[in-house]
Amino acid sequence: MPLTTPSVFPPPSAEFIKWPSRRSVVHSTKGIVACTQPLAAKCGIDILNAGGNAADAAVAVAAGLNMTEPCSTGIGGDMFCLYYDAKTCSVSALNGSGRSGAKCTLETIRKSLGVADGVVGEIPMSSVHAVTVPGAAAGWVDTVERFGSGKLSLEQILAPAIELGEKGFPVSEDAAFFWQRSEQILRRASPNFAEMLKADPSAPDGVRGPRAGDIIKLPNLARTFRTLATEGKKGFYSGRIADEIINVVRDLGGHLELADLQHHLEQGSEPVDPISLEFRGQGTGSSGVELWEHPPNGQGIVALMALGIIQELETQGKIPTFTAADHNTAPYLHAIIEALRIAFADASWFVTDPSTTAVPTSSLISQPYLAQRAALFDPARASDILRHGSPALRSSDTVYFCVSDAQGNAISFINSNYGGFGTAIVPRGCGFTLQNRGANFSLDAAHPNALGPRKRPYHTIIPGLVTNLSDGSLHSVFGVMGGFMQPQGHVQVLLGQLVGGLNPQQALDAPRVCIGSGMADYGDVYDRTVYVEEGMPEETVRGLRELGHNVQVLRGWGGKGRQMFGRGQIIRWTVDEVDGTGVWSAGSDMRGDGAAYPA
């Protein structure tokens, strides 16, 4: 593997002690798992220690997170990953998202929802019509088959998570908070809600939402994992599990059929070409970096466009070349906010399933188009309402975690139900909930992301990966979860390192901003509200308001609180300057239960 940036992480300066929490960077030469849940991280560490590679361990972590944090992720949802192969210095992408049913036409769903003619309407997050085919199960199997070491079977990889479900595990703080908050949603969603709650003889009907520290068992989910482990994808997309998925959806008035699950079994996850953008090397100690993202139907293109626009603003002289002293100042955040607004305006229109609708991906991240869109920026004031541009068309809730191994491979992996427990609909005897990703479809026939049969919706979950321009070696794998916050988090934590000179943990600890399109129910892409996390300097908040931004400072965790700013993970690759040994250096977001754990 080519040598990369020297492993120089300065000690935290006094100014960073003021953030609500600061953890130390975790270093290892044998690999690291960085995720939101300690017990799930141990699942991955067990696999690394058993001889598996980063991809094998990632699937173990994904399964472990489904057990320990089902309020965020699960096998009833979707997944995406970016994989860095150390031997070839190559980046690969796997799209594990599911499609709508063959009978889910726009007319059928509008009629089922009772949407009147002339009204655009929307698919509610809690509706059975928001259920799309779960892609995660196939994605886990395909990740192991495509990128795994070949040394471990799927049964071995899923064994740690299965043990958690069968023997029980203590519920962590954040998971308990969201689990309890969602108890009534689970109860309303389907008759099988008890499978996702803690058995308690003292509760009125024998079950309740688990509290922090409670031991909970999920034997039905463990049974589902055992079926996947022994029978592969066929065991999930046909047979008992498939029947129960279709039964519960049909009973609630949905239109998915067994043929839709069979279609996904036959198609499998889709290997796609990742998209990227080169960014200057300020503060990296190298000639620059290349940010890699998934192409549409994912929203990773928002992060690429925003970075590209910021780069064009420098070229046009509208902003200075920011340095570490500018990090999280009002002018610095103003440029990020406005670049993100411009990027979201395009993405909200153009991002859809490229297999059904032409998406101008290359044009949207081309230098001429980004320069054109950068011209909309005003350094002295917040923008007016933005609409999408017109590039040349060509035919063509959530858990994020990352894993590295001793061979230098790394994987950026994200798995989601979409909103919390998704629809909270539980297939009988299966122990998981079905996602509500279909709520992202538009019911406007003229919109590129309009609902259609066997179509993938606009997807919020995005893994990130960075390589060095000098030699193509790995810089980092990283991500920030949280709906439409994700590309915003990508831009902020990456620039925190490249411009702010922050180490991985500092970049995650620093307060973040989230524009109005950041989360469902918090405004749309044209909302001018800027949510600012507590801990941001008062001078910065005042400066943003003077620029015309509608700033709301969010404190605490519940309601409109700090949960809005997502939870991230970063693993950096560096090389010891003296002996040339490769070192993994990781940070884990203080906003989550987990941490970075060395192998």
Side-chain angles (χ1 to χ4, degrees):
M1 171 184 289
L3 298 185
T4 66
T5 312
S7 55
V8 179
F9 290 129
S13 60
E15 64 181 300
F16 282 98
I17 302 301
K18 67 185 179 184
W19 304 142
S21 169
R22 189 198 64 77
R23 303 170 177 175
S24 298
V25 175
V26 173
H27 303 283
S28 174
T29 59
K30 296 181 179 180
I32 289 179
V33 174
C35 75
T36 56
Q37 222 290 333
L39 296 175
K42 186 178 183 302
C43 294
I45 295 296
D46 287 348
I47 296 306
L48 288 178
N49 290 336
N53 69 358
D56 297 326
V59 171
V61 174
L65 284 166
N66 187 173
M67 280 291 178
T68 59
E69 202 175 319
C71 44
S72 301
T73 187
I75 199 169
D78 286 341
M79 60 73 65
F80 290 79
C81 71
L82 291 169
Y83 183 74
Y84 182 83
D85 187 313
K87 290 183 179 179
T88 60
C89 291
S90 60
V91 181
S92 301
L94 189 68
N95 182 331
S97 62
R99 300 168 178 82
S100 58
K103 292 187 176 179
C104 295
T105 65
L106 190 59
E107 296 74 20
T108 296
I109 300 304
R110 286 178 63 89
K111 181 178 180 181
S112 295
L113 290 170
V115 178
D117 292 342
V119 177
V120 173
E122 62 182 18
I123 302 174
M125 298 277 279
S126 60
S127 171
V128 68
H129 304 300
V131 176
T132 47
V133 172
W140 296 358
V141 175
D142 293 333
T143 296
V144 171
E145 292 181 352
R146 184 169 291 272
F147 307 124
S149 65
K151 298 177 180 179
L152 300 179
S153 67
L154 191 60
E155 288 183 82
Q156 291 171 292
I157 290 168
L158 295 181
I162 291 171
E163 182 177 0
L164 288 174
E166 292 178 342
K167 293 185 177 180
F169 59 89
V171 177
S172 59
E173 303 290 327
D174 285 353
F177 173 82
F178 292 111
W179 214 322
Q180 290 181 62
R181 194 176 70 168
S182 300
E183 179 178 347
Q184 294 309 313
I185 297 173
L186 285 165
R187 289 177 176 276
R188 290 193 299 266
S190 72
N192 309 313
F193 64 86
E195 295 184 34
M196 305 303 298
L197 298 175
K198 176 179 173 59
D200 183 348
S202 67
D205 59 356
V207 293
R208 60 169 172 81
R211 307 182 187 104
D214 276 352
I215 300 296
I216 190 169
K217 296 180 180 181
L218 297 174
N220 287 338
L221 181 56
R223 182 185 176 199
T224 292
F225 285 0
R226 283 196 180 278
T227 300
L228 183 68
T230 57
E231 300 179 24
K233 290 182 284 189
K234 184 178 180 181
F236 187 90
Y237 295 97
S238 63
R240 179 189 67 86
I241 296 171
D243 288 341
E244 294 300 343
I245 291 173
I246 299 308
N247 287 343
V248 73
V249 169
R250 183 192 60 224
D251 290 347
L252 294 170
H255 301 284
L256 278 185
E257 296 186 336
L258 284 172
D260 300 317
L261 300 181
Q262 179 66 31
H263 178 262
H264 195 84
L265 173 62
E266 295 168 355
Q267 295 293 314
S269 310
E270 181 182 6
V272 294
D273 293 327
I275 56 177
S276 65
L277 183 131
E278 297 180 358
F279 193 74
R280 57 173 172 72
Q282 179 72 27
T284 64
S286 69
S287 60
V289 300
E290 188 166 4
L291 173 62
W292 298 83
E293 300 276 357
H294 259 266
N297 58 314
Q299 64 173 346
I301 196 169
V302 173
L304 299 184
M305 291 185 68
L307 280 176
I309 289 168
I310 290 169
Q311 196 156 240
E312 291 302 319
L313 292 175
E314 291 182 0
T315 301
Q316 296 174 11
K318 289 190 170 185
I319 60 173
T321 298
F322 290 124
T323 65
D326 298 302
H327 180 256
N328 273 1
T329 61
Y332 172 90
L333 290 177
H334 176 60
I336 291 174
I337 291 164
E338 294 299 293
L340 284 165
R341 278 202 179 119
I342 294 167
F344 269 122
D346 279 327
S348 66
W349 180 260
F350 291 109
V351 172
T352 187
D353 186 350
S355 67
T356 64
T357 308
V359 180
T361 301
S362 298
S363 295
L364 286 168
I365 56 175
S366 68
Q367 187 276 329
Y369 183 70
L370 293 174
Q372 173 192 330
R373 297 298 275 167
L376 298 172
F377 175 79
D378 186 338
R381 62 184 295 273
S383 62
D384 293 323
I385 292 176
L386 296 171
R387 301 292 175 181
H388 65 81
S390 298
L393 282 168
R394 300 182 181 181
S395 299
S396 33
D397 271 286
T398 302
V399 289
Y400 171 80
F401 60 91
C402 41
V403 182
S404 60
D405 61 35
Q407 290 71 48
N409 307 305
I411 190 166
S412 185
F413 199 108
I414 197 156
N415 205 117
S416 177
N417 296 325
Y418 190 27
F421 279 99
T423 58
I425 296 170
V426 182
R428 183 172 60 89
C430 296
F432 63 85
T433 58
L434 297 172
Q435 67 182 349
N436 50 9
R437 189 60 61 177
N440 265 356
F441 279 123
S442 172
L443 294 182
D444 179 358
H447 199 291
N449 189 44
L451 172 67
R454 297 267 166 87
K455 185 175 181 179
R456 288 168 164 159
Y458 179 118
H459 233 290
T460 57
I461 61 174
I462 52 171
L465 188 149
V466 184
T467 55
N468 294 300
L469 283 177
S470 58
D471 57 8
S473 59
L474 183 69
H475 175 278
S476 58
V477 283
F478 79 111
V480 177
M481 62 202 81
F484 294 94
M485 176 64 199
Q486 292 183 51
Q488 303 183 56
H490 280 210
V491 171
Q492 291 176 71
V493 300
L494 180 58
L495 289 181
Q497 297 171 85
L498 301 182
V499 175
L502 308 183
N503 66 41
Q505 189 60 55
Q506 290 171 330
L508 293 168
D509 283 351
R512 298 197 274 265
V513 299
C514 179
I515 63 176
S517 58
M519 296 287 276
D521 302 326
Y522 284 73
D524 62 25
V525 76
Y526 308 122
D527 187 351
R528 292 178 61 172
T529 303
V530 177
Y531 298 99
V532 176
E533 188 174 20
E534 64 176 324
M536 192 70 74
E538 286 298 322
E539 181 182 359
T540 297
V541 174
R542 183 169 59 252
L544 290 174
R545 286 175 173 150
E546 289 172 354
L547 287 165
H549 294 286
N550 175 22
V551 176
Q552 292 188 30
V553 179
L554 300 186
R555 298 177 173 85
W557 188 248
K560 273 192 181 181
R562 295 179 62 198
Q563 60 181 304
M564 188 174 188
F565 301 98
R567 300 171 294 166
Q569 319 289 337
I570 302 171
I571 301 179
R572 283 276 301 274
W573 167 260
T574 57
V575 174
D576 183 274
E577 292 178 302
V578 177
D579 67 9
T581 300
V583 179
W584 297 111
S585 302
S588 182
D589 208 307
M590 63 180 181
R591 301 162 186 84
D593 283 325
Y597 303 87

